[in-house]
C-alpha cells in the first residue's frame, strides 16, 4: 500500500497549502520568544540605590547636580568593587536635620571616623524610565534571588508540561493540542500582567511554562507531518529562524513599551489571533492514519490537493503506514545505559542538552546585567542566529555533525572567556565577542537536536530523546542562579563557568560517532556497531507498527520533535 509520503509526491510536498500553514506556524514559533527569553526585559535590573528621606530636599537647597548628590549621600558611590554597598546600604542618618553643610553634609554624623550604615528600609531609587518586575517588587539586594526564581519557574513548567502536552498531541491530535495551548497560554500570560503580587506572578508564569512550549512543539510536529521528506530539514531550520525573528520583534516592542505589565500584555494579546488558525490549519493526516481514521485523513488529503491545484491519483486512495510487520519492542529506561556505547551516548547527550540551555539562556541573561544599551545589545546578538542557521544548513550534509558541533562548543566556550577578560571600557568589543559566542551555542543547540535522534535505535528513540532533552529544562532552571548569584561575587564569573562547561561539551562531542550518511539504527547492537559505515541500501524501519521507507538521504530528513524549548527539536514523526 502507498504511504502518505507517496501521496505528497502527487499532491505537492511543499506547495501553496503547506506554505500557508507554514507561515501561520512560523508566527506561532515567533510568539514563543517572549516566554523563553522575556526575562531579559521583564526582569531588567537597572542601576539603583537606597531611598533616603530628606536627600531630595537637601539636594535642592544646596543646588547639587546628580553626581554631587550621589557622592555626598550614597556610601561607597563610584568605588570599584563596592557596588553592593552603594546599592543595598545607606547612611543611617537623618537628612532632615537642620544646619547640614552643603560641602560636607556628613560631618555632623561622623562617629569614630565612620558614618554608620543601615539597610534600605524606605525602598530604592531606580535609574530607569520604565518598570520591570524588579523595580515594582524591589527584587534587589537580599531579595534578588526572587528574579532567579521567576525565570526558573517557567523552565520548570517546560519540564513538567512537555510530557502532558506531548500526550495530548498524540492522543487527541496536533490541531486540538495547538488550540488548547494557545488559549491556556494567552490566558496565563494576561494573568501574569495583572498579577497583584510577586507570588502570583511566579504562579502564573509557571502555568504559562506548562503550556507554552507545547504549543511551539505541536506546531513543529504539524508542519513536518504535512510536508514531503525533501523539505523537512528546511522547514525545521526555518521554523527555528522564525524564533529568531521573534527575538528581534520582541526587542522592538520592548523598546517602544518599557513598562513590564504593558509589555506582557502587548506580547500576549496577539496570541488570541491564533485561534483563527482553526480554519487555516489541518489536522495531521499522518496522525489520523495512525489512529485508523483513514476516511477523515483522505478528506484532508483531497483538500490539500485542491488548494494546491492538483488531484489525488485513484490508485493512491487507500493509504496506510502498516505496510510491513515487524516485532514491536517495548522500550525501557534501562536500555539507555544497558551497553557501553548506549551509556556513552546517553551521558554525553544529556550533558550537551544541559550545556546548550545553560549557555544560551545564560548569555542572554548576563547581557542584561552587563551594562550598555540593552536594546542594541539584544538586537546584535539576535542577528547572529541567522548566520548560525545558514552554517548548519551548509555543513550538516557536507562536513557532518560531529566536527561542526564540537567546533561550535569550543567557539562558544572560548568566546565566553575572551568576553570576561575584555575591559568594561571596550564595551563594543565585549558585545562583538559575545555575539560570536551566541552564534556558537546556537549552532550547538541545533546540532544536538539532529544527532540525538540519530544515535538511538528505533524502539527506544523517543524515550532516549525525551530523557536527554529533559536536561535542557534543568539547565534553564539553574541558569538564572548561575548568572545572577555568581555575578554578585564577580561580574564576569558566570562567563568563566560557561567557558568550562562549553569546552567540556566540545571535548565530549568528539567522543561520539559521526552519523552523517548512516542509516538510523534499529537495534542496540546497531548502535554498538555504529563506528562502521552504515548500509546505503534502502531499508524499512518500523516504529510502533508504523513503517517508513528510508533511503540513506531520507534518514537525514527525519523531522524532530522537541521536548525542550525552541532551541531544540526532539523526536520525530
Amino acid at each position: 500500500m502507498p504511504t502518505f509520503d507517496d501521496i505528497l509526491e502527487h499532491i505537492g510536498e511543499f506547495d501553496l497549502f503547506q506554505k500557508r500553514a507554514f507561515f501561520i506556524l512560523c508566527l506561532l514559533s515567533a510568539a514563543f520568544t517572549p516566554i523563553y527569553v522575556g526575562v531579559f526585559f521583564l526582569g531588567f535590573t537597572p542601576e539603583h540605590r537606597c531611598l533616603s528621606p530628606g536627600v531630595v530636599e537637601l539636594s535642592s537647597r544646596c543646588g547639587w547636580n546628580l553626581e554631587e548628590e550621589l557622592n555626598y549621600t550614597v556610601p561607597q558611590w563610584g568605588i570599584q568593587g563596592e557596588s553592593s554597598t552603594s546599592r543595598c546600604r545607606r547612611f543611617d542618618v537623618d537628612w532632615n536635620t537642620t544646619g547640614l553643610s552643603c560641602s560636607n553634609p556628613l560631618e555632623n554624623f561622623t562617629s569614630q571616623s565612620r558614618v554608620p550604615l543601615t539597610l534600605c528600609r524606605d525602598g530604592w531609587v531606580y535609574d530607569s524610565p520604565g518598570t520591570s518586575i524588579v523595580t515594582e517588587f524591589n527584587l534587589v539586594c537580599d531579595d534578588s534571588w526572587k528574579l532567579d526564581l521567576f525565570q526558573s519557574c517557567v523552565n520548570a513548567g517546560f519540564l513538567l508540561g512537555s510530557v502532558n502536552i506531548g500526550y495530548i498531541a498524540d492522543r487527541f491530535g496536533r490541531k486540538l493540542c495547538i488550540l488548547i495551548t494557545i488559549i491556556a497560554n494567552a490566558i496565563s500570560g494576561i494573568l501574569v500582567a495583572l498579577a497583584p503580587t510577586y507570588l502570583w506572578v511566579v504562579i502564573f508564569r509557571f502555568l504559562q511554562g506548562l503550556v507554552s512550549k507545547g504549543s511551539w512543539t505541536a506546531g513543529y510536529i504539524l508542519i513536518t507531518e504535512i510536508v514531503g521528506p525533501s523539505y523537512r530539514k528546511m522547514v525545521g531550520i526555518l521554523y527555528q529562524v522564525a524564533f529568531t525573528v521573534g527575538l528581534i520583534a520582541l526587542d522592538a516592542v520592548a523598546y517602544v513599551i518599557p513598562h513590564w505589565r504593558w509589555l506582557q500584555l502587548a506580547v500576549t494579546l496577539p496570541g488570541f489571533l491564533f485561534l483563527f488558525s482553526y480554519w487555516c490549519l489541518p489536522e495531521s493526516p499522518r496522525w489520523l492514519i495512525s489512529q485508523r481514521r483513514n476516511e477523515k485523513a483522505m478528506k484532508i488529503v483531497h483538500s490539500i490537493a485542491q488548494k494546491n491545484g492538483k488531484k489525488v491519483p485513484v490508485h493512491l486512495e487507500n493509504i496506510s503506514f502498516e505496510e510491513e510487520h515487524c516485532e514491536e519492542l517495548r522500550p525501557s529506561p534501562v536500555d539507555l545505559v544497558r551497553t557501553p556505547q548506549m551509556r556513552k551516548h546517553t551521558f554525553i547527550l544529556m550533558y550537551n542538552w544541559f550545556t546548550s540551555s545553560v549557555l544560551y539562556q545564560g548569555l542572554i541573561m548576563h547581557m542584561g546585567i552587563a551594562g550598555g544599551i540593552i536594546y542594541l545589545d539584544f538586537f546584535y546578538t539576535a542577528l547572529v542566529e541567522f548566520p548560525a542557521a545558514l552554517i548548519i544548513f551548509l555543513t550538516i550534509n557536507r562536513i557532518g555533525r560531529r566536527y561542526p558541533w564540537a567546533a561550535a562548543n569550543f567557539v562558544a566556550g572560548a568566546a565566553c572567556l575572551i568576553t570576561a577578560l575584555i575591559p568594561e571600557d571596550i564595551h563594543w568589543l565585549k558585545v562583538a565577542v559575545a555575539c560570536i559566542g551566541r552564534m556558537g551555542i546556537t549552532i550547538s543547540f541545533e546540532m544536538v537536536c539532529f544527532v540525538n535522534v540519530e544515535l538511538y535505535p528505533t524502539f527506544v528513540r523517543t524515550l532516549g530523546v525525551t530523557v536527554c532533552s529533559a536536561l535542557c529544562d534543568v539547565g534553564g532552571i539553574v541558569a538564572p542562579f548561575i548568572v545572577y548569584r555568581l555575578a554578585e561575587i564577580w561580574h564576569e564569573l558566570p562567563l568563566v563557568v560557561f567557558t568550562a562547561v562549553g569546552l567540556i561539551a566540545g571535548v565530549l562531542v568528539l567522543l561520539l560517532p559521526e552519523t552523517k550518511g548512516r542509516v538510523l539504527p534499529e537495534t542496540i547492537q546497531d548502535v554498538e556497531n555504529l563506528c562502521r559505515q552504515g548500509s546505503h541500501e534502502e531499508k524499512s524501519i518500523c516504529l510502533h507498527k508504523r513503517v517508513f521507507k528510508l533511503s540513506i538521504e531520507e534518514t537525514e530528513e527525519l523531522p524532530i520533535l522537541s521536548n525542550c524549548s525552541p532551541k531544540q527539536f526532539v523526536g520525530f514523526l
Side-chain angles (χ1 to χ4, degrees):
M1 289 184 182
T3 65
F4 184 68
D5 285 341
D6 295 328
I7 291 182
L8 285 176
E9 292 179 3
H10 293 273
I11 67 173
E13 293 188 75
F14 192 60
D15 283 352
L16 180 61
F17 180 87
Q18 288 97 332
K19 289 176 182 176
R20 185 183 67 179
F22 179 60
F23 175 75
I24 295 172
L25 292 173
C26 280
L27 294 178
L28 188 68
S29 176
F32 181 67
T33 302
I35 303 169
Y36 194 60
V37 297
V39 66
F40 184 85
F41 299 108
L42 299 176
F44 173 66
T45 304
E47 188 62 55
H48 55 277
R49 59 188 181 276
C50 293
L51 173 63
S52 298
V55 165
V56 174
E57 292 78 4
L58 178 61
S59 177
S60 177
R61 178 173 67 83
C62 293
W64 293 334
N65 58 34
L66 179 60
E67 189 63 29
E68 289 174 328
E69 176 186 322
L70 298 178
N71 286 331
Y72 286 138
T73 62
V74 178
Q76 307 293 343
W77 181 261
I79 298 180
Q80 187 71 22
E82 297 294 339
S83 60
S84 176
T85 301
S86 63
R87 293 171 178 173
C88 301
R89 297 290 185 272
R90 68 176 177 86
F91 291 120
D92 190 12
V93 300
D94 182 8
W95 295 106
N96 291 310
T97 302
T98 59
L100 293 181
S101 170
C102 290
S103 60
N104 187 11
L106 293 175
E107 62 182 354
N108 293 340
F109 306 109
T110 303
S111 174
Q112 298 180 353
S113 75
R114 292 189 61 184
V115 179
L117 301 180
T118 186
L119 299 176
C120 301
R121 294 191 296 261
D122 298 292
W124 284 261
V125 176
Y126 298 95
D127 295 334
S128 173
T131 62
S132 68
I133 62 168
V134 172
T135 62
E136 180 168 333
F137 300 112
N138 290 325
L139 306 185
V140 292
C141 299
D142 291 342
D143 286 336
S144 59
W145 61 271
K146 293 182 179 179
L147 177 60
D148 312 13
L149 182 62
F150 172 77
Q151 179 62 10
S152 295
C153 72
V154 74
N155 283 278
F158 294 159
L159 180 62
L160 298 178
S162 58
V163 176
N164 296 326
I165 300 301
Y167 172 79
I168 292 175
D170 288 338
R171 178 67 178 84
F172 301 103
R174 308 344 185 178
K175 184 175 180 178
L176 180 61
C177 178
I178 290 175
L179 293 175
I180 291 176
T181 53
I182 285 173
I183 295 173
N185 182 39
I187 293 175
S188 58
I190 291 176
L191 291 175
V192 169
L194 301 179
T197 64
Y198 167 80
L199 177 60
W200 283 110
V201 169
V202 170
I203 292 174
F204 293 139
R205 184 73 169 171
F206 172 76
L207 295 178
Q208 196 173 24
L210 279 176
V211 297
S212 58
K213 192 178 72 178
S215 178
W216 187 93
T217 300
Y220 178 79
I221 301 171
L222 179 58
I223 192 58
T224 53
E225 289 183 337
I226 63 176
V227 302
S230 59
Y231 289 93
R232 287 182 191 142
K233 181 177 70 177
M234 180 193 72
V235 299
I237 293 177
L238 290 180
Y239 194 70
Q240 294 276 3
V241 171
F243 178 85
T244 303
V245 174
L247 291 173
I248 297 175
L250 172 63
D251 187 48
V253 175
Y255 178 78
V256 175
I257 308 175
H259 301 281
W260 81 271
R261 289 188 185 272
W262 290 109
L263 175 61
Q264 177 68 17
L265 286 174
V267 299
T268 299
L269 290 176
F272 286 104
L273 296 176
F274 287 113
L275 294 177
F276 291 102
S277 64
Y278 175 84
W279 291 277
C280 303
L281 298 177
E283 181 53 87
S284 169
R286 295 181 189 271
W287 177 80
L288 291 170
I289 292 168
S290 72
Q291 302 296 308
R292 306 182 190 277
R293 297 163 64 180
N294 285 17
E295 182 178 349
K296 187 171 182 179
M298 285 308 301
K299 288 183 180 179
I300 295 176
V301 167
H302 283 287
S303 176
I304 295 175
Q306 180 183 7
K307 290 180 173 61
N308 288 341
K310 300 181 180 181
K311 293 184 178 180
V312 180
V314 177
H315 68 282
L316 293 179
E317 289 286 344
N318 188 16
I319 59 177
S320 173
F321 282 130
E322 298 179 351
E323 296 180 334
E324 301 178 13
H325 299 279
C326 54
E327 181 181 359
E328 179 181 358
L329 300 175
R330 296 186 179 276
S332 166
V334 178
D335 293 324
L336 302 180
V337 294
R338 188 181 300 278
T339 61
Q341 291 300 317
M342 289 287 287
R343 279 194 298 273
K344 182 179 74 173
H345 295 174
T346 297
F347 292 134
I348 292 177
L349 289 169
M350 290 172 71
Y351 182 80
N352 270 272
W353 276 111
F354 176 84
T355 297
S356 297
S357 181
V358 167
L359 264 68
Y360 185 84
Q361 294 194 47
L363 286 175
I364 292 177
M365 286 183 282
H366 188 269
M367 181 173 53
I369 61 175
I373 304 175
I374 61 170
Y375 302 105
L376 283 179
D377 293 348
F378 189 89
F379 176 74
Y380 295 146
T381 55
L383 282 181
V384 300
E385 294 197 11
F386 291 109
L390 180 62
I391 291 173
I392 294 170
F393 191 82
L394 294 177
T395 61
I396 195 169
N397 288 332
R398 291 176 173 82
I399 301 176
R401 281 83 157 127
R402 183 173 57 172
Y403 291 119
W405 184 12
N409 277 316
F410 289 139
V411 167
C416 288
L417 180 60
I418 296 173
T419 302
L421 298 177
I422 296 176
E424 287 292 339
D425 55 353
I426 317 179
H427 183 72
W428 66 269
L429 184 58
K430 290 180 76 74
V431 173
V433 177
C435 286
I436 296 175
R438 173 77 170 271
M439 182 171 64
I441 199 58
T442 299
I443 295 173
S444 178
F445 227 148
E446 304 286 356
M447 286 295 188
V448 70
C449 304
F450 284 110
V451 176
N452 201 155
V453 73
E454 296 172 333
L455 285 179
Y456 283 117
T458 299
F459 80 98
V460 78
R461 188 171 293 128
T462 299
L463 177 64
V465 170
T466 300
V467 171
C468 292
S469 62
L471 266 293
C472 89
D473 289 330
V474 175
I477 292 173
V478 303
F481 292 94
I482 293 177
V483 173
Y484 298 127
R485 294 312 101 220
L486 295 185
E488 290 187 351
I489 301 174
W490 176 39
H491 189 273
E492 310 299 345
L493 185 56
L495 295 177
V496 176
V497 174
F498 295 159
T499 297
V501 172
L503 294 180
I504 292 173
V507 172
L508 292 177
V509 166
L510 295 175
L511 301 179
L512 294 174
E514 177 57 65
T515 58
K516 173 182 175 290
R518 299 195 177 186
V519 176
L520 295 178
E522 292 187 69
T523 65
I524 291 180
Q525 188 59 45
D526 289 342
V527 175
E528 295 299 305
N529 298 330
L530 200 56
C531 58
R532 294 179 297 179
Q533 182 66 33
S535 171
H536 285 260
E537 300 176 354
E538 189 176 85
K539 192 168 186 178
S540 296
I541 292 185
C542 175
L543 173 63
H544 298 296
K545 298 184 179 180
R546 299 187 217 174
V547 178
F548 299 84
K549 291 289 187 180
L550 298 175
S551 66
I552 189 61
E553 292 83 5
E554 289 172 326
T555 61
E556 299 185 358
E557 305 297 341
L558 276 175
I560 308 171
L561 160 67
S562 177
N563 180 47
C564 206
S565 64
K567 282 296 148 191
Q568 327 109 28
F569 359 13
V570 181
F572 41 87
L573 296 181

